[in-house]
Amino acid sequence: MPDNANESINASQVDDVRNVIIFDTTLRDGEQSPGASMNLHEKLQVAQALVELGVDVIEAGFPIASPGDFEAVREIAQIVKGSQVCGLARCVNADVDRAWEALKEAENPRIHVFLATSAIHREFKLRMSQDEIVRRAVEGVKRAKGYCSNVEFSPEDACRTEIDFLCRVVEAAIDAGATTVNIPDTVGYTTPREMTKRIETLLNRVPNIDRAVISIHCHNDLGMAVANSLAAVAAGAGQIECAINGLGERAGNCSLEEVVMAMRTRRDIFRVDTRIVSQKLVPTSRLVSKVTGLKVPRNKAIVGQNAFAHESGVHQDGVLKERATYEIMSAESVGFVKNELVLGKHSGRAALADRLKSLKYDLTPEQIADVFVEFKKLADLKKDVYDADICALVDRMTSEKKGDAPEADWKFVSYELSCGTNASPNFKATLSQNGIEKVGTSTEGDGPVHAMFWAVQQIVGLPVSLKEFKIEAVTVGSDAQGEVVVFVNDEDSGVAYKGAATSTDVLEATIKAIIDAVNRIQRARASAK
Ligand code: KIV
Ligand code: ZN
């Protein structure tokens, strides 16, 4: 074997590494991804998963942005133990006060204040001079410092800010008490080489820089967010802001799973590591994908379904002889479950319990018993029950059982449909609410989905429209379960709500997904009253 053939294995043996702080912004910048909004229950689930993943700082939201954001930050601050909880605020008194109100019960709170510094933002967005920016930044940091010792300051659009002015703002923010100074590449414009230079310049020219941690926050508009974050770390940055599945504004943020595994796998180069429990990466990615409805591409690095699949004969032969020929890390190290056996209708409770455990579901014996009942029903409908089927089953059961489902939620009862090439669809749906059944019929629309939507709308009587409809097989084979994700618009607020459902009957999954979205709209309307 050549000397460097096992570099990935040698990398794990490198000592003398420093720790880089992982600041996760899935719940704040990530939630700003178009279509990625999460409800309170989902945000709490994600926050808990981030704690278990070993994230150091969870940016839980932007409390002044909406009552929903405030409530989410407040509840996350109350439940999270072991990770810092951070809330975002502009350098405006009302923002900082609101952020603190939401964060004050956290075990370890952080206030993150930001103000744009680049010429283009100063001139067109803020209409402020450089002196005014410095004054406001200092005021914002001081206001936050009055509440909390742990304060982060972000000069928004830092990577397009004149370097002399950036050094001046950073120095002033640290003097005012900022303990972390974040350097956002807000528009994803910078390159790794420029990033290295910018961080080195800050380290060399800002006299008080040793009193703060330099952080990095890269957007992915040119596909360089991970590369730029790694360049910043190599130049001396001590914190990376990133999001699960690379979620974030526009093209997203630096992907947490990619940047973490790059640092771990190439520890020999970067000489840094993190507290991340890498085996939790895939389950966390799956959870975030489920609650946002944003699918992870199959070929996505680290967490995509194909990330460890070897297709060509040459590669398969190589991997069978020596894994390191074509794998630089193992699938298990990022949380994929290796299993030889597919479950089916003859599988027993112990086999299911074992599989649930290896899929990282921490269920009580009673919950396992409930899953077993549903598993048996599914195994009657489809011959092979794959891991993805089991995950879909448990996810469906946990979301149906969640405590915040009010009585007023609509429930699916049954449907009837006839349609054909030259015939209009004829659809009848029966739903129930508060135990009372209602029937809706439709012969309208250019196909069954359209007709279904009309029938549901007739029953629930809300001004809604179907914005997006996606269907995908959960596994392989013609008996596979179909997973339907829809986005339904609340015409009054203009907000789109996600709905999702799985079933071996894709039409049933479709109507259930529409009902799921309608229930979310109904709950949002009720809580806004
Ligand atoms: O991209 C950005 O500049 C931000 C800041 C608020 C940190 O998200
Ligand atoms: Zn951002």
Side-chain angles (χ1 to χ4, degrees), residues 338-359:
K338 193 170 165 201
N339 63 65
E340 325 297 339
L341 290 171
V342 174
L343 300 183
K345 69 175 174 186
H346 300 297
S347 306
R349 188 184 301 221
L352 177 69
D354 186 57
R355 186 61 54 85
L356 287 167
K357 198 168 154 215
S358 61
L359 288 167

Side-chain angles (χ1 to χ4, degrees), residues 57-78:
V57 189
I58 297 172
E59 189 166 46
F62 189 0
I64 195 117
S66 70
D69 252 48
F70 175 85
E71 201 47 41
V73 177
R74 202 174 65 88
E75 293 217 14
I76 291 169
Q78 284 168 348

Side-chain angles (χ1 to χ4, degrees), residues 68 152 238 248 293 316 448 505:
E152 171 167 334
Q316 286 176 349
D505 175 345

Side-chain angles (χ1 to χ4, degrees), residues 245 289-290 292-298 470 472-473 483 485:
N245 298 338
S289 169
K290 186 192 87 166
T292 57
L294 297 179
K295 291 258 161 221
V296 173
R298 293 183 85 91
K470 292 187 275 190
E472 207 174 275
E483 181 184 27
V485 175

